[in-house]
Amino acid sequence: MSYPYQIHSIEDYHAAYQKSVETPESFWADIASHFTWHQQWDEVLNWNFYDPKIEWFKGGKLNITENCLDRWVEKQPHTPAIIWESNDPHTPSRTLTYQELFEEVCRFAHVLTQNGAKRGDRICIYMPMVPELAIAVLACARIGAIHSVVFGGFSAQSIADRIQDAQCNLVVTADGAYRGNKTIPLKSVIDEALLTCPSVQKVIVLTRTNTPVSMMKDRDCWWEDEMKKISAQGNLPFKAAIMDAEDMLFILYTSGSTGKPKGVVHTCAGYMVWANYTFVNVFQYKPGQVHFCTADIGWITGHSYIVYGPLSAGATTLMFEGIPTWPDAGRFWEIADKHQVDILYTAPTAIRSLMSFGTEPLQGKKLDSLKTLGTVGEPINEEAWHWYDENIGRKNCPIVDTWWQTETGGVMISNLAGITPSKPSFATLPLPGIQPILVDEKGSLVEGNEVSGNLCIRFPWPGMLRTTFGDHERCRTTYFSTYENLYFTGDGCLRDKDGDYRITGRVDDVLNVSGHRIGTAEVENAINRHTGVVESAVVGYPHDIKGQGMYAYVIFNGIHVNEEQTRKDICETVANIIGAIAKPDKIQFVSGLPKTRSGKIMRRILRKIAEGAVDNLGDTTTLLDPLVVEEIKSNKL
Ligand code: WTA
């Protein structure tokens, strides 16, 4: 068995690309016809970027879990769907075949409905990387509820914001999570969040760490008990809810340049087709292979390339609970050998961090099952690329550098493993269906042999976001209003003479710290909540391992017992409000911030100083108080 729409040669790629641009509707209708539908769509595509309105396969009826489970249970019930590797290398791994995963998903779908969940409800999932997380996600989709997975590293406040925004009525969580040698008390974080979330009626709690938890009567119940009740009722299959192609499948919150994260909405059919198509083509997945994506399901990468992409393709997906450096920096490589991993997909940050341990952790690792390597989430520097290529791929595995975003649902620009050529630090070519263009500040097309500009997409693709939950206008202003008739990515980009794209980083106030997207405004708001802080400005600076580090300039008029302690306190405040991932790397106390006469903070200057380019600040004469720049420069950390 293989995939009828898998691209097998560079000629195939060019032909598919051309067809996708010339006749997009028949191109995607062809591909969509290979999925399980209850009813054909009325129209392949209906769109405008003005409202914006994006509809793919409208009128088509389906359930994504029938495409991820039922059709594979029929063909290959005993094929492993999920291989799970624990945080602790001594805990036995688990394998769930398609048959077993199907049964678990049906069982949990019953649990959800018996606890009052209905089609269209929003369900928040805050769980460790265990198979039950994937089961919960799929069970939501099975009953037609909309999942909103929140990464386990977010704070109670962040969870509360997300639950309130989506008006979730049910939460699925666990007592705790293991991360390296730490235990994170997930349930108590949820308890704190729920103090301000009256919409939540039920909390289902999985036992993972045996951390003591408080269970609220009539609200909280144990996953295991609920599952047992269903088994006692005879373990019936769960008939999938029949959804419209354009019904919401999930919400995933992501940071933007303004304060509040937005709920990116993906819908059932377009997302499914896109996640599947990109999975099969970018990684060149062959049936029987083991796909190991090291992301967390709390991020879009996990949604698309741990859960929906692989499972909709009948693939074997490997889920890892732990972190790359515990118990030692050989953990990924050990897992690759143990489970005979074919495809390894990770973030440049992880590569750079593992690189810093040298080759000792690679001793005794065979890595001979690996066929394809991938990176995602941030630009990869050439040094890391070559290290990955030489030490992990043994110069024998194509590396796919995949550029995409939460909003795009799946990979947009990437080489196809072993089919189209790679070029270190370049994402290279657009996938079929993707029409990237570069524009200048004014929105004029940038053309030529070697050019840079802001990256936009000029035609819809099936996996693109449809709206931001509860606020369609925000979706329009964020993505579709900067340049008329274009989707604006927020990324800067270079295109070389071969037509290859290289993403150079965000051009808005969004940072990419260790591959995590963090809005500077969000962090500033958190810092400003710290007592004694008057104002702050956060910018990025190059960081050897994280890609970008976070540099905060803070005006503080509290009592400095000790500057170092105040820095720690501010970090703690940020961790409390957003999560530990948003802690600034450096905090410089300043007496003022460089502002224009109209009061706008000159971030360009702050960025330059943080980068260490203090001699090249450009014009500072328009500043309200040019002297403040001198002070900031001389106290730079
Ligand atoms: C950045 C992650 C360079 C980019 C899938 C984008 C990349 C943001 C790459 C989206 C790449 C992602 N090369 N930069 N291969 N992949 N990015 O929403 O700035 O967490 O806009 O989605 O990550 O981050 P998000």
Side-chain angles (χ1 to χ4, degrees):
M1 194 226 42
S2 80
Y3 309 96
Y5 42 84
Q6 194 166 45
I7 291 166
H8 295 291
S9 64
I10 194 154
E11 293 76 24
D12 265 11
Y13 163 74
H14 288 298
Y17 189 82
Q18 197 175 353
K19 186 164 181 234
S20 77
V21 172
E22 284 168 4
T23 52
E25 301 198 9
S26 73
F27 178 79
W28 289 111
D30 252 12
I31 293 164
S33 71
H34 296 285
F35 291 76
T36 301
W37 297 85
H38 283 264
Q39 187 183 303
Q40 262 259 317
W41 49 90
D42 302 323
E43 215 179 346
V44 178
L45 172 63
N46 184 5
W47 72 286
N48 73 66
F49 278 176
Y50 178 75
D51 292 338
K53 170 164 146 178
I54 321 286
E55 293 174 343
W56 283 92
F57 313 113
K58 179 100 175 148
K61 304 284 181 207
L62 79 164
N63 186 292
I64 193 169
T65 69
E66 292 186 324
N67 285 280
C68 290
L69 299 169
D70 308 49
R71 64 172 173 161
W72 304 111
V73 168
E74 230 169 79
K75 289 200 187 101
Q76 46 174 54
H78 307 303
T79 298
I82 295 178
I83 298 175
W84 175 77
E85 177 67 26
S86 157
N87 177 61
D88 179 349
H90 303 297
T91 302
S93 49
R94 279 170 69 187
T95 298
L96 283 97
T97 63
Y98 272 89
Q99 177 70 39
E100 288 162 341
L101 181 61
F102 170 77
E103 286 169 11
E104 292 295 287
V105 169
C106 285
R107 212 144 63 102
F108 196 64
H110 283 294
V111 168
L112 288 176
T113 50
Q114 294 198 1
N115 279 284
K118 300 177 308 298
R119 178 190 181 117
D121 285 354
R122 275 79 59 209
I123 295 181
C124 173
I125 303 179
Y126 185 67
M127 291 178 82
M129 280 286 287
V130 290
E132 286 77 7
L133 166 52
I135 291 166
V137 162
L138 292 164
C140 287
R142 188 99 181 154
I143 71 170
I146 300 158
H147 55 78
S148 164
V149 184
V150 178
F151 173 62
F154 280 115
S155 68
Q157 178 69 55
S158 292
I159 301 165
D161 289 345
R162 287 157 173 75
I163 290 179
Q164 289 165 5
D165 187 75
Q167 286 293 298
C168 298
N169 55 1
L170 201 148
V171 174
V172 187
T173 188
D175 51 357
Y178 293 121
R179 266 185 77 78
N181 58 7
K182 292 202 197 90
T183 305
I184 299 150
L186 298 185
K187 173 63 163 65
S188 72
V189 179
I190 285 289
D191 287 338
E192 192 188 332
L194 294 191
L195 293 174
T196 55
C197 299
S199 61
V200 173
Q201 306 293 319
K202 280 277 167 197
V203 181
I204 302 175
V205 188
L206 178 81
T207 308
R208 174 64 191 125
T209 54
N210 291 306
T211 306
V213 298
S214 93
M215 296 290 280
M216 258 230 279
K217 190 177 280 167
D218 299 330
R219 189 194 72 182
D220 301 351
C221 57
W222 291 106
W223 172 293
E224 296 78 11
D225 291 351
E226 297 303 296
M227 289 292 252
K228 267 190 212 133
K229 281 189 210 159
I230 305 300
S231 304
Q233 292 165 20
N235 245 356
L236 295 173
F238 190 101
K239 216 161 162 275
I242 298 178
M243 310 300 287
D244 189 274
E246 281 299 335
D247 282 338
M248 285 187 200
L249 175 64
F250 66 84
I251 306 171
L252 188 57
Y253 285 84
T254 190
S255 296
S257 39
T258 54
K260 214 175 99 194
K262 46 193 177 278
V264 168
V265 170
H266 286 286
T267 55
C268 294
Y271 173 80
M272 168 185 79
V273 169
W274 186 241
N276 177 289
Y277 182 80
T278 53
F279 171 73
V280 161
N281 282 301
V282 171
F283 302 105
Q284 288 290 308
Y285 184 84
K286 304 286 179 304
Q289 291 187 335
V290 175
H291 176 76
F292 177 18
C293 166
T294 71
D296 191 288
I297 293 178
W299 307 111
I300 190 69
T301 306
H303 281 60
S304 299
Y305 300 110
I306 296 178
V307 182
Y308 288 116
L311 295 178
S312 68
T316 299
T317 181
L318 194 151
M319 238 179 120
F320 172 45
E321 183 184 33
I323 58 173
T325 47
W326 191 82
D328 60 56
R331 190 72 173 111
F332 277 0
W333 325 131
E334 181 198 12
I335 294 173
D337 280 354
K338 176 171 170 190
H339 296 291
Q340 292 292 289
V341 168
D342 295 274
I343 305 168
L344 175 68
Y345 189 34
T346 194
T349 289
I351 298 169
R352 286 190 297 263
S353 134
L354 294 173
M355 237 171 103
S356 69
F357 290 86
T359 49
E360 199 270 327
L362 286 159
Q363 298 298 312
K365 308 294 192 303
K366 286 206 178 77
L367 301 180
D368 56 355
S369 59
L370 291 173
K371 315 242 167 7
T372 296
L373 303 177
T375 67
V376 58
E378 46 176 330
I380 181 161
N381 48 313
E382 292 202 29
E383 193 193 352
W385 195 98
H386 287 294
W387 188 86
Y388 200 30
D389 183 38
E390 284 157 27
N391 295 284
I392 309 307
R394 310 269 158 88
K395 287 200 157 271
N396 209 12
C397 299
I399 299 178
V400 290
D401 176 352
T402 65
W403 172 79
W404 58 295
Q405 313 178 294
T406 304
E407 294 84 346
T408 71
V411 177
M412 301 284 280
I413 304 183
S414 173
N415 49 317
L416 310 181
I419 304 285
T420 61
S422 62
K423 191 183 276 186
S425 82
F426 279 76
T428 75
L429 297 173
L431 275 266
I434 302 310
Q435 304 184 33
I437 61 167
L438 302 182
V439 299
D440 63 19
E441 298 284 294
K442 294 194 190 73
S444 308
L445 201 62
V446 184
E447 277 170 313
N449 256 339
E450 174 110 13
V451 290
S452 304
N454 289 347
L455 178 62
C456 295
I457 315 288
R458 69 172 151 207
F459 194 83
W461 62 100
M464 76 186 295
L465 89 163
R466 302 302 197 257
T467 187
T468 46
F469 191 83
D471 192 351
H472 193 59
E473 177 57 16
R474 187 161 180 209
C475 173
R476 193 186 70 78
T477 52
T478 312
Y479 306 105
F480 299 93
S481 72
T482 318
Y483 306 111
E484 201 179 333
N485 250 322
L486 298 174
Y487 166 82
F488 176 41
T489 64
D491 280 319
C493 182
L494 175 150
R495 187 178 54 227
D496 73 3
K497 57 182 183 347
D498 303 326
D500 286 323
Y501 291 84
R502 172 192 199 153
I503 313 301
T504 47
R506 303 287 305 195
V507 295
D508 53 8
D509 291 322
V510 173
L511 303 182
N512 198 325
V513 179
S514 301
H516 300 323
R517 235 169 105 164
I518 301 172
T520 53
E522 219 181 318
V523 181
E524 288 162 8
N525 290 346
I527 293 176
N528 296 349
R529 299 248 316 259
H530 185 80
T531 172
V533 170
V534 179
E535 198 179 4
S536 62
V538 171
V539 297
Y541 70 96
H543 187 289
D544 283 351
I545 293 192
K546 298 175 167 189
Q548 259 186 323
M550 221 188 282
Y551 196 118
Y553 299 90
V554 176
I555 306 176
F556 186 78
N557 74 357
I559 301 163
H560 280 282
V561 178
N562 165 338
E563 276 202 2
E564 218 25 63
Q565 188 60 36
T566 308
R567 285 197 180 94
K568 284 187 192 148
D569 291 347
I570 291 175
C571 284
E572 228 19 64
T573 306
V574 173
N576 250 321
I577 294 174
I578 305 176
I581 53 171
K583 284 186 189 173
D585 298 279
K586 294 184 180 176
I587 297 177
Q588 179 179 348
F589 294 109
V590 297
S591 67
L593 293 167
K595 289 188 179 172
T596 60
R597 294 206 169 85
S598 59
K600 206 170 157 274
I601 297 176
M602 295 281 280
R603 291 170 179 281
R604 179 180 56 80
I605 292 176
L606 294 176
R607 245 179 255 130
K608 283 254 159 96
I609 297 175
E611 282 165 12
V614 286
D615 298 327
N616 180 22
L617 296 183
D619 185 12
T620 57
T621 53
T622 56
L623 289 176
L624 195 58
D625 176 12
L627 282 182
V628 81
V629 175
E630 294 310 313
E631 176 214 297
I632 295 176
K633 266 163 60 175
S634 55
N635 295 332
K636 182 194 169 321
L637 298 176

